[in-house]
DNA sequence: GCAAAAGTGTTGGAAATACACCCATGT
DNA sequence: ACATGGGTGTATTTCCAACACTTTTGC
């Protein structure tokens, strides 16, 4: 019953045939690469390490690792984040899989790109191997491997996604002013927005909880502080269609 | 220089270390599954085959196959389409990668889902192994493996995507009436739309070329036929932000 | 009192929606 | 002649963009 016609692929394969293939020689190394965004000093940042491969000596690269044979790819992304940064409980979402044959000098490696948003104030980096640190997204160029392409794909993804879902709050501290929020959107989208219209839009969305607190130590009139109502968003999320910027 | 601390993963790995890993034992079978949409008799269809695995006997499944060790994943998706349907030169886009550990009974297989849109009139199926044929999307349930989840993800992706980009034309014959186009959108989005407003929207987009031809053999006033200006769309695509339905 | 940013409403234009009538064809 | 869907225009509403002044604080 096993197929002798390769044109028909697994349509006529038995479980046994497939098991042979799955356990056979055409297996592929699979990795996860994380594009980790942070927001600090009103700039959008991305977390990079130095590549120590000869081919890419001195170049910066994303945080990645091979996926274990018995490891969910989503778990692998969490693991990488945890191992490399000490961070836990962060926003993480799959973006795209990159599968060209010669993208890695060590051999065939297909990689799944994940995008992560973390809050730089609440999550100080605990591990600093390979010069792990934050880079301004505006200055990113010539990353190792195909990481430039992966980064750009994830950045565009973020720009689009943040206009449809309120992801941005994952990048802010728990308490923030509307000015902080606007600065974040302006940094990510690389635009300027009208302050009054921006406020209207977010108040209308009704996901902000007024904390009845004020900014401290600002050299001007202090703004009110808010937090994001994650619960309310989660409840509405099912039927969410977009922010409509 | 090779790390003895697994917590630090490839941050401190040399190329040699990585080569060992990449060629080593933790490689994974990688597959591509294609969710192939068609549009026929004013219904959105998806192309399925019978699974012949014992575990899923009688259930329907997506078209998929393992990715070759030396094969680009995108090429693999094209190959599967070509091998199974005889179809070539079709719209194809990656959607999501599914990587839970036990999603396949034959062992660990991570799969990359691709969505394809094909024109049922111009592309008659040339291969019909395993009862390959079109199923109404409304009647899809209990697919084999995790294919139900993959299908639903791709269907939602299509619904969203078609509201941002004019993908739909890939599902229509080269010549179509505005009624055909509206029927397509109504089928995909499962809604009814106002005929006049729908026309206005598409004429305003300015991607339709009036062919100065009419429908034939319709039992009512025949509509004009149009074709989609793929070239013009490709040129504008760079700065495309969405259809705005 | 001055600099700096917070906070607030209104208005005009554009876009989306709702809606009704005449027209061309086949039967 | 009539049934069926094609083709068109307008009034209304809704949403978005533009815009300026007063208030609060630190210095």
């Amino acid at each position: 019953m096993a197929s002798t016609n390769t044109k028909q692929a697994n349509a006529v394969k038995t479980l046994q045939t497939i098991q042979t293939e799955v356990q056979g020689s055409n297996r592929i190394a699979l990795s996860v690469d994380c594009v980790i965004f942070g927001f600090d000093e009103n700039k959008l940042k991305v977390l990079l390490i130095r590549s120590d491969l000869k081919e890419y000596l001195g170049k910066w690269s994303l945080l990645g690792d091979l996926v274990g044979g018995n490891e969910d790819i989503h778990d692998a992304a969490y693991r990488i984040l945890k191992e490399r940064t000490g961070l836990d409980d962060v926003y993480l979402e799959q973006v795209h899989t990159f599968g060209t044959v010669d993208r890695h000098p060590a051999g065939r490696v297909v990689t799944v790109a994940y995008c992560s948003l973390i809050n730089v104030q609440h999550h100080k980096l605990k591990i600093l191997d390979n010069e792990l640190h934050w880079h301004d997204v505006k200055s990113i160029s010539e990353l190792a491997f195909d990481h430039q392409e992966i980064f750009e794909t994830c950045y565009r993804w973020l720009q689009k996604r943040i206009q449809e879902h309120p992801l941005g709050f994952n990048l802010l501290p728990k308490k923030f002013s509307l000015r902080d929020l606007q600065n974040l959107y302006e940094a990510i989208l690389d635009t300027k927005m009208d302050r009054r219209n921006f406020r209207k839009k977010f108040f209308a969305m009704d996901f902000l909880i007024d904390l009845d607190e004020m900014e401290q130590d600002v050299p001007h009139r202090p703004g009110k502080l808010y937090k994001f109502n994650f619960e309310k968003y989660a409840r509405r999320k099912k039927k969410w269609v977009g922010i409509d910027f």
Side-chain angles (χ1 to χ4, degrees), chain A:
Chain A
M1 173 135 185
S3 173
T4 54
N5 181 352
T6 58
K7 285 265 162 161
Q8 296 178 14
N10 72 14
V12 285
K13 286 172 188 168
T14 61
L15 180 56
Q16 210 173 27
T17 316
I18 296 173
Q19 271 173 345
T20 308
E21 288 182 0
V22 165
Q23 289 148 23
S25 59
N26 59 353
R27 289 190 297 174
I28 293 172
L30 190 66
S31 69
V32 163
D33 284 300
C34 297
V35 179
I36 304 166
F37 289 103
F39 182 64
D40 199 20
E41 297 169 328
N42 289 336
K43 289 188 161 57
L44 185 64
K45 308 280 179 111
V46 63
L47 200 52
L48 301 175
I49 54 172
R50 285 275 189 203
S51 170
D52 53 5
L53 294 188
K54 248 196 231 98
E55 284 82 350
Y56 292 110
L57 205 67
K59 299 226 175 186
W60 294 98
S61 83
L62 301 170
L63 279 72
D65 196 11
L66 292 176
V67 177
N70 229 359
E71 183 181 41
D72 188 311
I73 52 176
H74 205 257
D75 294 343
Y78 269 108
R79 172 178 58 81
I80 290 163
L81 231 76
K82 187 74 192 291
E83 283 178 1
R84 296 306 191 70
T85 66
L87 305 183
D88 215 335
D89 187 35
V90 295
Y91 181 88
L92 192 59
E93 196 168 348
Q94 190 194 112
V95 174
H96 194 81
T97 297
F98 294 81
T100 53
V101 174
D102 52 7
R103 52 171 297 284
H104 199 290
R108 180 79 195 278
V109 185
V110 170
T111 198
V112 185
Y114 275 80
C115 182
S116 177
L117 303 179
I118 80 176
N119 168 348
V120 174
Q121 351 304 329
H122 291 183
H123 294 108
K124 286 293 168 203
L125 301 177
K126 290 159 193 151
I127 300 171
L128 293 166
D129 291 327
N130 280 55
E131 302 180 53
L132 177 78
H133 70 265
W134 294 104
H135 297 246
D136 192 324
V137 292
K138 290 200 171 187
S139 70
I140 303 299
S141 67
E142 299 193 25
L143 300 181
F145 314 103
D146 56 354
H147 286 188
Q148 184 76 24
E149 185 191 355
I150 296 175
F151 162 71
E152 285 167 9
T153 300
C154 287
Y155 187 23
R156 281 193 301 270
W157 175 90
L158 175 62
Q159 289 183 319
K160 181 163 182 248
R161 190 87 174 152
I162 205 176
Q163 293 183 70
E164 301 170 336
H165 293 268
L167 305 186
F169 298 101
N170 295 292
L171 289 161
L172 290 175
K174 289 208 181 69
K175 300 176 180 184
F176 52 85
S177 67
L178 271 170
R179 162 63 50 187
D180 294 331
L181 185 58
Q182 185 173 344
N183 286 340
L184 172 66
Y185 273 81
E186 291 183 343
I188 293 177
L189 299 176
D190 195 26
T191 52
K192 291 289 171 198
M193 300 176 178
D194 181 88
R195 193 160 45 92
R196 287 159 292 189
N197 294 336
F198 184 86
R199 286 167 165 263
K200 258 181 285 182
K201 199 177 302 251
F202 271 90
F203 286 135
M205 247 188 275
D206 205 24
F207 285 134
L208 296 180
I209 300 174
D210 186 335
L211 291 170
D212 272 320
E213 289 180 63
M214 294 296 192
E215 291 179 298
Q216 300 293 327
D217 302 317
V218 286
H220 54 76
R221 175 173 175 181
K224 286 178 125 182
L225 295 177
Y226 298 86
K227 66 176 182 177
F228 180 65
N229 194 335
F230 281 98
E231 296 73 28
K232 188 167 184 177
Y233 171 62
R235 267 182 273 126
R236 282 207 214 154
K237 198 175 180 178
K238 302 158 201 164
K239 39 186 73 174
W240 187 262
V241 282
I243 287 183
D244 281 329
F245 267 85

